[in-house]
Amino acid sequence: MGFLSGKKALIVGVANNKSIAYGIAKQMAEQGAEIALTYQSDKLKSRVEKIADELGCKIVLPLDVTSDEQIEAVFSALSANWDELNILVHSVAFAPREELDGRMIEASSRAGFAMAHDISAYSLTALTKAGYSLLKAGNGAVLTLSYLGAERAVPNYNVMGIAKASLEATVRYLAADLGQDGIRVNAVSAGPIRTLAAAGIKDFRSMLDKAALATPLRRNVTITEVGNTAAFLCSDLASGITGEITYVDGGYNITAST
Ligand code: NAD
Ligand code: 0WE
């Protein structure tokens, strides 16, 4: 029996089998959790349905996090099937591609800032708000994905770093507010991983290789490693942990460059 047996989890952010959310869904399913998945658009529907089959998920729903109507529809569909929600995983980020390339002073726009913050940061509050009663009934654990660019000025990460800083602050404010309801809120700050989101980034391959050399473990991390830590943080094994940012980055964040 796995350490998540009997737990019901909604996982938002699977695009394909390289997604960090897929690594999380797989490791949570392996520990006995029952999983529901969402897909951003019709383009991703069939791919996510295939993954749902593989993981034995019976619930697969459309969800664009910029739509309050779609968010409401997801939780009303969920409450028709489940009387509680134990785990909510938020693994979503987006900024206009042009804003993730070059100098901050040139790449930044008001519209890009608004979009990055809406999709990558506010959506955590929006989902938690809409899922509140189900999460309360299930002593829920909420988990999101961050990156070191939230706290350090990483070249080209630009507006996404600012949105991740907002996301990490959101984790602390939600944790402080929802502790009284038995709901925990945490983040994993992952090292760079080659996913669909990373595929759109210039020179990502050489970034990965450079990061590996500068990392205590001398390698990059995998979606399985992120998935295992996510499964732990959302389980009763982590019942005393809330409001935390846990690094799954091979130790990169503790180093100084020489
Ligand atoms: P991914 O492309 O597989 O996942 C990103 C997901 O966001 C996709 O499933 C996409 O459909 C979804 N998404 C984007 N806009 C959306 C919207 N409007 N509505 C609903 N869904 C939307 O890439 P990933 O690397 O697995 O990214 C997942 C999370 O991990 C992101 O928050 C990312 O910032 C974070 N992260 C990634 C890395 C990395 O190097 N890949 C490192 C640290 C943190
Ligand atoms: O959070 C991310 C990337 C998120 C992301 C990726 C894209 C690519 C395609 C958000 N929006 C978009 N928009 C697109 O049009 N990461 C942590 C991965 C990442 O992205 C970087 C990184 C790292 C690491 C961008 C610049 C520098 C480092």
Side-chain angles (χ1 to χ4, degrees):
M1 240 188 33
F3 61 73
L4 291 176
S5 72
K7 302 283 190 193
K8 295 174 171 64
L10 173 66
I11 299 184
V12 179
V14 176
N16 58 32
N17 63 5
K18 307 275 187 264
S19 294
I20 292 174
Y22 171 76
I24 294 172
K26 192 162 155 72
Q27 296 319 112
M28 285 187 173
E30 190 157 306
Q31 291 302 328
E34 193 180 335
I35 314 279
L37 296 179
T38 68
Y39 56 91
Q40 185 192 349
S41 64
D42 285 340
K43 215 178 75 191
L44 295 172
K45 184 177 184 190
S46 62
R47 226 178 304 161
V48 174
E49 282 174 342
K50 216 180 104 203
I51 286 168
D53 276 349
E54 175 203 325
L55 300 177
C57 313
K58 291 185 208 83
I59 307 172
V60 187
L61 302 161
L63 176 60
D64 183 316
V65 297
T66 61
S67 161
D68 286 329
E69 293 71 31
Q70 286 188 36
I71 291 173
E72 278 307 322
V74 161
F75 288 99
S76 70
L78 224 50
S79 59
N81 289 274
W82 291 348
D83 50 18
E84 61 174 39
L85 183 63
N86 310 110
I87 296 171
L88 169 62
V89 176
H90 171 278
S91 185
V92 170
F94 186 81
R97 190 198 184 115
E98 323 81 73
E99 301 233 354
L100 303 179
D101 185 10
R103 292 185 60 183
M104 180 76 195
I105 197 79
E106 289 163 358
S108 300
S109 73
R110 189 184 299 274
F113 182 99
M115 181 177 282
H117 283 72
D118 186 25
I119 296 174
S120 315
Y122 176 69
S123 60
L124 179 66
T125 302
L127 289 174
T128 304
K129 209 174 154 159
Y132 175 65
S133 54
L134 279 174
L135 283 166
K136 192 172 170 174
N139 275 317
V142 177
L143 188 92
T144 188
L145 274 298
S146 193
Y147 174 62
L148 189 62
E151 328 161 46
R152 314 272 179 81
V154 173
N156 302 312
Y157 200 59
N158 298 349
V159 72
M160 269 310 307
I162 304 170
K164 289 299 193 190
S166 166
L167 180 71
E168 292 187 4
T170 301
V171 166
R172 291 185 284 273
Y173 275 86
L174 286 175
D177 185 32
L178 298 176
Q180 62 191 310
D181 298 310
I183 300 170
R184 298 183 298 108
V185 185
N186 290 291
V188 164
S189 182
I193 302 177
R194 183 146 205 94
T195 62
L196 189 63
I201 307 303
K202 207 169 75 188
D203 297 330
F204 198 79
R205 183 73 252 172
S206 71
M207 242 192 61
L208 275 178
D209 295 344
K210 271 195 232 161
L213 290 173
T215 295
L217 292 181
R218 298 292 189 275
R219 62 173 178 82
N220 300 123
V221 296
T222 65
I223 61 170
T224 304
E225 290 176 315
V226 174
N228 280 328
T229 300
F232 160 71
L233 285 171
C234 293
S235 78
D236 295 340
L237 296 173
S239 56
I241 303 178
T242 195
E244 288 292 333
I245 316 297
T246 300
Y247 295 87
V248 180
D249 67 349
Y252 182 84
N253 77 94
I254 66 159
T255 65
S257 56
T258 50

